[in-house]
Amino acid sequence: MLAADPGASIAGIAAEAGVDRRTVYRRFASREELLAAIYESRLTAIEHAIEDARLREAPVAVALHRYVENIIAVNRTWPVDLARMLADDAVRRRRDACVAEVDAFLERATDEGLLRRDQPQGWASALLPQLMHLVSRQLPELSPAQAADVVVDTLLHGLGAS
């Protein structure tokens, strides 16, 4: 609901969840506290998705598919944008650590020949999240694994070594 309407009221959120707004307020003192909990959950899910993909150890193609599949599942479970919380230093540091981990993986993928070197610096890092976001929203009928197939195929045919 907050993904569709970031200004949604606590009363509206409670109604959508089938509970009284007092129930929501017993758990969260304010709308900001509720939002912070949602963003915390999304960020934690992203960190787990990266860890589960084994970006440093797994074969590059396997790690790429697993990472994409995991992030598509996160995007569908927590469809809110972390950008609103980046004013919080702790959130920004955690998000930046995730970005750095994925960037290092994409560099590894390039070094190992899965991705082409002749693309602009950072292009894969900019393109991959956009592809995952797009498939998460535009192809909801696909399972996360099927959606990851689409993203990885699109990425590699556009950036893959011949």
Side-chain angles (χ1 to χ4, degrees), residues 42 45-46 49 66-79 132 135-137 142-145 147-148:
R42 178 176 168 80
I46 290 168
R66 180 174 249 168
Y67 167 72
V68 171
E69 183 177 347
N70 290 346
I71 294 298
I72 289 167
V74 169
N75 287 347
R76 289 177 174 171
T77 303
W78 304 101
M132 292 185 297
V135 79
S136 295
R137 303 297 190 279
L142 298 181
S143 71

Side-chain angles (χ1 to χ4, degrees), residues 4-69:
D5 178 13
S9 69
I10 292 290
I13 293 167
E16 183 72 20
V19 299
D20 186 78
R21 71 184 173 96
R22 291 176 298 211
T23 302
V24 176
Y25 277 117
R26 274 195 287 272
R27 177 73 169 97
F28 304 102
S30 66
R31 185 174 188 288
E32 290 71 32
E33 193 176 303
L34 171 62
L35 286 171
I38 291 168
Y39 294 132
E40 168 69 25
S41 295
R42 178 176 168 80
L43 190 52
T44 298
I46 290 168
E47 291 166 339
H48 288 155
I50 290 170
E51 182 180 327
D52 180 65
R54 299 180 50 238
L55 299 179
R56 293 176 191 217
E57 307 84 29
V60 176
V62 172
L64 175 63
H65 195 280
R66 180 174 249 168
Y67 167 72
V68 171
E69 183 177 347

Side-chain angles (χ1 to χ4, degrees), residues 61 64-65 68 128 131 147-157:
L64 175 63
H65 195 280
V68 171
L128 184 56
L131 289 172
D149 290 344
V150 171
V151 169
V152 171
D153 184 60
T154 301
L155 181 73
L156 295 182
H157 282 102

Side-chain angles (χ1 to χ4, degrees), residues 108-125:
R108 176 180 163 224
T110 302
D111 291 345
E112 292 187 19
L114 188 68
L115 300 176
R116 292 181 7 207
R117 288 201 169 280
D118 63 345
Q119 296 299 303
Q121 181 70 26
W123 184 239
S125 295

Side-chain angles (χ1 to χ4, degrees), residues 2 102 130:
L2 286 167
V102 174
Q130 296 301 319

